[in-house]
Amino acid sequence: DDSRCRQRQSANLWGIYHEPDGESIALKRTLLLADTDIFHRERFIQMGDSFLTLASAVGGLENSDHHLRWDFTFEDPTLSSRLFPYRWMYSLPFPKTKFLEPRLTTFVSGNLHVDRRALSLEHVRAHQAHIWGTHYAKRWVWGHCDTFVGSPGTVFEGLVAQIGLGPVSLPPLPLFCLIHEGKTTWANGFTNWVTNKSSHDLYHWQ
């Protein structure tokens, strides 16, 4: 029944930290929806003592080996983006996977604790994106680049997703956006779905 179904529904909080030399920490906490106030009145979303608001992100995760704790404040104004080109792609059931960037590029300040290390962040470039839907895409590759040497205002956003229409797998859908020298160039419309070229493997994307 509905009560038993709700008792089994859960939400996951992830924390992932990656070092340039390749060391990574990935932690996850699962909370039953029946035991937590996910949609907090004053916060966009809350899971235990971790929460996200329009102005900040605060939280932490730990296991027997690692510990992550963050306390970030977003610095607005910011630049948002809707990589899907048409509004109906967000309001209708198709595609079943939605992708949106509330903060395509912004800055954060605050503190990050990784195991025994404490890192202080001041005006660090950041990106905030949101993926949701009833099903994940069958395959996809995504890239966000906003730290170009000698061109601090340049931002690249790219997504190539293969989605399904019933039992049929559609061709990969390539969507790109480039912001350079104050000009925004979109390559995400119907024509671009056919003309955009993209290829990738595990370590490269062209």
Side-chain angles (χ1 to χ4, degrees):
D1 57 20
D2 289 343
S3 61
R4 290 184 177 180
C5 181
R6 177 168 173 75
Q7 289 176 354
R8 294 193 301 268
Q9 292 176 334
S10 62
N12 294 321
L13 174 67
W14 283 86
I16 301 174
Y17 177 82
H18 182 71
E19 286 278 9
D21 62 5
E23 179 187 0
S24 298
I25 297 173
L27 302 176
K28 183 181 79 166
R29 181 185 181 190
T30 300
L31 294 173
L32 294 177
L33 293 184
D35 297 337
T36 186
D37 182 16
I38 293 289
F39 302 106
H40 195 278
R41 177 174 297 180
E42 283 117 19
R43 294 162 182 169
F44 175 68
I45 192 168
Q46 177 162 349
M47 298 180 63
D49 60 352
S50 302
F51 60 86
L52 175 68
T53 72
L54 292 177
S56 62
V58 177
L61 290 165
E62 62 180 88
N63 60 16
S64 57
D65 299 317
H66 296 290
H67 169 89
L68 289 176
R69 188 79 191 175
W70 59 91
D71 186 347
F72 301 145
T73 299
F74 296 108
E75 300 178 24
D76 287 331
T78 186
L79 177 65
S80 300
S81 176
R82 189 184 66 221
L83 196 58
F84 287 174
Y86 308 108
R87 288 185 178 274
W88 59 262
M89 300 183 76
Y90 290 93
S91 59
L92 297 181
F94 177 84
K96 294 182 178 181
T97 304
K98 314 292 186 183
F99 181 69
L100 185 71
E101 300 97 337
R103 290 179 170 92
L104 177 63
T105 181
T106 187
F107 294 90
V108 298
S109 295
N111 299 288
L112 174 65
H113 294 266
V114 183
D115 294 336
R116 297 182 179 180
R117 291 174 291 170
L119 306 175
S120 178
L121 282 66
E122 183 175 352
H123 196 62
V124 175
R125 189 173 292 277
H127 169 72
Q128 183 187 29
H130 180 46
I131 181 171
W132 78 99
T134 56
H135 290 84
Y136 283 116
K138 294 180 178 294
R139 298 177 183 85
W140 69 318
V141 56
W142 166 74
H144 174 84
C145 305
D146 60 7
T147 309
F148 290 87
V149 176
S151 186
T154 298
V155 180
F156 168 79
E157 184 83 11
L159 173 69
V160 180
Q162 185 174 27
I163 58 180
L165 185 60
V168 179
S169 294
L170 300 179
L173 182 69
L175 309 171
F176 303 113
C177 174
L178 176 67
I179 302 173
H180 181 62
E181 295 182 348
K183 179 183 178 181
T184 301
T185 302
W186 293 95
N188 63 345
F190 274 126
T191 303
N192 299 121
W193 298 357
V194 179
T195 59
N196 284 349
K197 304 299 181 183
S198 175
S199 61
H200 69 277
D201 57 27
L202 186 59
Y203 299 105
H204 304 88
W205 185 14
Q206 182 175 358

